[in-house]
Amino acid sequence: MNIFREEKIWRILCDIWTLIFMIFIVMNFFSMDFYSDLIAPLSALYAGILTIYVGTKEFDRWYDLHDGRHPGELFVIFWTALISSLFVVSFISGTHYHLASDIIADYILVLTVFALTQKSKKLHHHRKNIKHPNAR
C-alpha cells in the first residue's frame, strides 16, 4: 500500500502541519510576535495543505472511494479552544499580546472548510439514498 496514492499522505501532512502550526502560534503569541515574519508563510502553507487534504477527501467521497473517518469536528474543537484561549489571555493581559490576522483567517478557513464538507457529506448521502433507497 503506497501512501502517496491515497488521501492518507494528505491526512498525515495535515495532522503534522496542524500540530506544528498550532505550536508555532502559541510560541509566537507568548514571545510577543518575535516570529511574526513566519506567520504569513506558515499560514499559507497550512491553508494549502488543509485545502488539498479536504479537496481530495471530498473528491473521493463523491466517487465512492472514501471510506475512512477523520472527523473534522476535532479540528474545529482544537482550533476553537486555541483561538479562544489566546483571546482570553490577550484580553486579560491588556496590550502585551495580540493574535495576528493571518491566524484568524486560518481559523475562519477551518470553520468554512468544515461547514462545506458537512454540507457536501449531507448532499452525498441524500444523492446516494435517492439512487439506492434501501441502502444504508
Side-chain angles (χ1 to χ4, degrees), residues 5-49:
R5 291 188 183 156
E6 299 177 16
E7 78 177 41
K8 187 175 183 178
I9 185 64
W10 298 113
R11 181 177 54 82
I12 292 168
L13 282 173
C14 189
D15 289 347
I16 290 169
W17 277 105
T18 298
L19 182 62
I20 289 170
F21 193 44
M22 286 182 161
I23 290 169
F24 169 77
I25 290 168
V26 172
M27 282 178 30
N28 186 60
F29 183 82
F30 287 110
S31 72
M32 294 186 215
D33 271 344
F34 184 78
Y35 305 103
S36 63
D37 292 345
L38 295 174
I39 291 173
L42 287 175
S43 174
L45 179 65
Y46 177 71
I49 291 170

Side-chain angles (χ1 to χ4, degrees), residues 63-117:
Y63 286 91
D64 294 323
L65 301 172
H66 175 72
D67 60 356
R69 289 200 32 87
H70 187 63
E73 292 89 355
L74 294 177
F75 275 78
V76 172
I77 290 167
F78 291 145
W79 272 101
T80 300
L82 174 67
I83 298 300
S84 300
S85 299
L86 295 180
F87 268 132
V88 167
V89 170
S90 179
F91 181 75
I92 291 171
S93 69
T95 59
H96 297 276
Y97 302 105
H98 78 279
L99 211 46
S101 59
D102 287 329
I103 306 303
I104 302 304
D106 285 321
Y107 178 58
I108 292 168
L109 173 67
V110 168
L111 295 176
T112 302
V113 164
F114 179 70
L116 291 173
T117 58

